[in-house]
Amino acid sequence: MSTGFFDGIEKLQFEGRDSQNELAFKHYNPDEMILGKRAEEHLRFAVAYWHSFAWEGHDPFGGPTFQRPWHPQDDMGRAKMKADVAFEMFELLGVPYFCWHDADVRPEQGNYADNVSTLDEITDYMMGKMESSGIGLLWGTANMFSDRRWMSGASTNPDPDIFAFAAATVKSCMDATHKMGGQNYVLWGGREGYETLLNTDLGKELDHMGRFLNMVVEYKHKIGFKGQILVEPKPQEPSKHQYDYDAATCIGFLRKYGLENEVKLNLEQGHAILAGHSFEHEIATAAAEGLLGSIDMNRNDYQSGWDTDQFPNNVPEVALAYYHILKAGGLGSGGTNFDAKLRRQSLDPIDLITGHAGGMDICARGLQAAAAMVDDGGLEKQLSDRYVKWDNEYAQKMLDGSYDLSDIAAYVRKTDLRPEPVSGRQERLENYVNRFV
Ligand code: XLS
Ligand code: NI
Ligand code: NI
């Protein structure tokens, strides 16, 4: 039985780019074959429970604006109504996956045992809906940043009681994710960082976080969870500094604590921008290490400095992101999670649908452009041309250890080497990309 929340809205269909229907896809056709695979299987869309159903429209200066029938979210009846509406939206959009934090789906009880039993109850309820709809769980995660107990961190908290509460909470969320057949388990450390170094032992906190993540991996193997464990880089906000600053910082952390073969990265457009990077930089950095796990798709405002989590709307940017994803072999068991929310003035239920549908169309266009560039091979050819001299024997000897600095100096002197710079062709390449977007 329908909740009536999306009354009058039918399941969205693909109508093609000339459609004027705002409740139809213009570019996203799940069955379109792209490089030998259906678009749906490339993109693996997921809806984030928190932004669309749990967030009430607060900002740092203002209270809730949305006033949904399941607000305030403090009892199980309303948690179930929220799940009913959420699954209605997943079905209207035709997304194959969704993602949750424990605190999005169950009411906060204030103590561990009750948090676990309500999480169990609501996830059982959701599993009934997963079964009837065929919608899967892309990932689950623990919200260890909203409740006041987390104010000084979770695994990096100076108080071992909070570390313990965090460990127990993650265990319960991994259990629920495993039970629901989740494809990944994500850790985002919103409070794993500091407000001031005056009260923070940074080295100690990193060691604690390293031990914590090792326990997560050990537990994954203990329960036979086959999904990927992912960490999600972000430089700051809500903390002044977050330890998982960006992809490169996370990679260093994973290596230091022996986790580089166990944990991959969930990369988010907005977080890349906050870290002073582009999205494709973060994807290429992770891919170069074989650590690309999944993506949180959104867009950050380029002026505000906040994590604005807007729906994507920039095809050239999204195309380059998917280009690097395709080059890395695709998203695997990761996916495209819309970690994106409405603006707080967008009050109507239809705004939720069109926000996601627009994002899905943008991603489809980006993927199509990316696939066309892969197919054409122009960028790939440019790269192989640019580095072709490294195939020479002397160049290889510089890399394989046969030559040391003095050998190289002797070579340069003997051959009277006078290097001639060659064009980097950036504008030509930008024009090339423009042909596809
Ligand atoms: C917040 C993060 C969060 C994670 C899940 O900035 O993006 O939404 O994806 O905890
Ligand atoms: Ni995210
Ligand atoms: Ni974010």
Side-chain angles (χ1 to χ4, degrees):
M1 208 191 65
S2 151
T3 62
F5 184 74
F6 293 111
D7 230 8
I9 301 178
E10 306 282 321
K11 185 171 172 17
L12 274 65
Q13 306 294 332
F14 169 68
E15 292 185 0
R17 55 166 68 225
D18 295 329
S19 170
Q20 309 275 322
N21 177 1
E22 70 168 333
L23 290 168
F25 296 112
K26 324 291 187 295
H27 304 275
Y28 177 57
N29 172 4
D31 295 320
E32 178 183 353
M33 291 303 288
I34 295 177
L35 301 176
K37 210 159 81 176
R38 292 173 59 252
E40 182 179 50
E41 292 163 50
H42 277 286
L43 291 161
R44 297 169 57 83
F45 285 132
V47 167
Y49 218 89
W50 48 101
H51 286 313
S52 292
F53 305 109
W55 179 56
E56 299 184 6
H58 298 84
D59 74 5
F61 295 94
T65 56
F66 289 131
Q67 303 186 331
R68 305 299 192 207
W70 56 92
H71 297 165
Q73 303 165 73
D74 53 5
D75 72 28
M76 189 50 86
R78 284 194 280 260
K80 288 184 178 165
M81 185 200 299
K82 180 164 49 169
D84 293 344
V85 171
F87 275 81
E88 279 173 19
M89 186 172 96
F90 305 157
E91 293 194 77
L92 290 174
L93 291 167
V95 289
Y97 297 106
F98 70 107
C99 302
W100 52 253
H101 298 87
D102 52 352
D104 308 329
V105 295
R106 54 131 178 87
E108 172 65 44
Q109 303 293 312
N111 76 82
Y112 180 67
D114 292 340
N115 276 351
V116 175
S117 63
T118 47
L119 183 65
D120 273 350
E121 183 180 343
I122 193 72
T123 49
D124 282 346
Y125 183 75
M126 290 160 84
M127 279 172 75
K129 296 176 169 296
M130 291 169 71
E131 202 153 307
S132 56
S133 62
I135 292 163
L137 177 64
L138 186 65
W139 47 266
T141 187
N143 175 331
M144 301 196 293
F145 43 89
S146 293
D147 191 273
R148 70 191 286 275
R149 75 173 70 89
W150 310 118
M151 72 175 192
S152 311
S155 72
T156 62
N157 201 290
D159 180 354
D161 290 352
I162 305 286
F163 182 100
F165 206 99
T169 299
V170 167
K171 176 198 177 291
S172 69
C173 290
M174 290 177 75
D175 287 341
T177 301
H178 185 39
K179 173 180 83 174
M180 296 168 94
Q183 311 251 322
N184 306 273
Y185 183 83
V186 169
L187 296 107
W188 171 62
R191 308 267 174 203
E192 309 292 32
Y194 59 78
E195 293 304 321
T196 171
L197 274 179
L198 295 174
N199 65 13
T200 303
D201 184 335
L202 181 150
K204 196 189 253 312
E205 293 198 357
L206 281 167
D207 284 348
H208 293 180
M209 193 162 88
R211 173 65 194 133
F212 192 94
L213 196 50
N214 266 286
M215 286 197 288
V216 167
V217 166
E218 287 157 18
Y219 190 65
K220 160 190 161 153
H221 293 302
K222 181 169 168 187
I223 62 176
F225 175 61
K226 295 281 174 275
Q228 309 181 104
I229 303 292
L230 306 174
V231 293
E232 182 175 321
K234 181 174 178 180
Q236 77 276 325
E237 203 239 63
S239 57
K240 168 182 164 58
H241 175 87
Q242 189 176 314
Y243 295 133
D244 286 343
Y245 197 91
D246 60 1
T249 310
C250 286
I251 290 165
F253 173 86
L254 294 178
R255 288 194 186 289
K256 175 166 184 199
Y257 295 99
L259 292 162
E260 69 273 20
N261 298 319
E262 294 283 0
V263 178
K264 292 186 175 181
L265 304 181
N266 182 42
L267 301 167
E268 178 165 323
Q269 197 274 358
H271 299 180
I273 303 310
L274 291 173
H277 301 309
S278 64
F279 197 19
E280 69 265 25
H281 166 90
E282 289 293 85
I283 293 168
T285 300
E289 303 276 338
L291 292 179
L292 172 62
S294 195
I295 59 168
D296 271 6
M297 178 56 84
N298 56 25
R299 88 175 194 269
N300 216 66
D301 185 275
Y302 280 100
Q303 284 83 42
S304 75
W306 296 91
D307 185 13
T308 57
D309 290 325
Q310 291 167 257
F311 286 95
N313 75 347
N314 184 327
V315 176
E317 248 182 31
V318 170
L320 289 177
Y322 282 112
Y323 179 76
H324 285 277
I325 289 168
L326 288 176
K327 272 191 38 176
L331 286 168
S333 54
T336 301
N337 171 44
F338 286 108
D339 198 349
K341 62 179 186 238
L342 294 175
R343 299 307 85 196
R344 67 195 286 270
Q345 301 176 48
S346 302
L347 300 180
D348 299 338
I350 190 175
D351 295 325
L352 277 173
I353 304 286
T354 51
H356 283 90
M360 291 162 78
D361 265 345
I362 293 285
C363 290
R365 285 179 70 181
L367 175 69
Q368 289 159 354
M373 288 192 282
V374 168
D375 216 30
D376 184 77
L379 290 177
E380 204 48 52
K381 169 146 192 338
Q382 145 68 19
L383 279 191
S384 49
D385 289 353
R386 193 163 192 226
Y387 294 91
V388 70
K389 282 171 68 188
W390 281 99
D391 295 342
N392 294 344
E393 198 191 329
Y394 105 84
Q396 282 305 310
K397 285 190 168 155
M398 293 196 289
L399 297 181
D400 68 13
S402 319
Y403 281 0
D404 65 11
L405 289 186
S406 351
D407 298 325
I408 296 173
Y411 172 87
V412 171
R413 184 187 293 273
K414 191 181 84 195
T415 56
D416 189 19
L417 203 61
R418 298 173 192 223
E420 270 305 317
V422 294
S423 174
R425 302 180 185 172
Q426 179 167 340
E427 296 76 10
R428 291 170 67 189
L429 293 167
E430 288 169 352
N431 294 350
Y432 171 84
V433 170
N434 237 353
R435 278 172 41 204
F436 298 88
V437 297

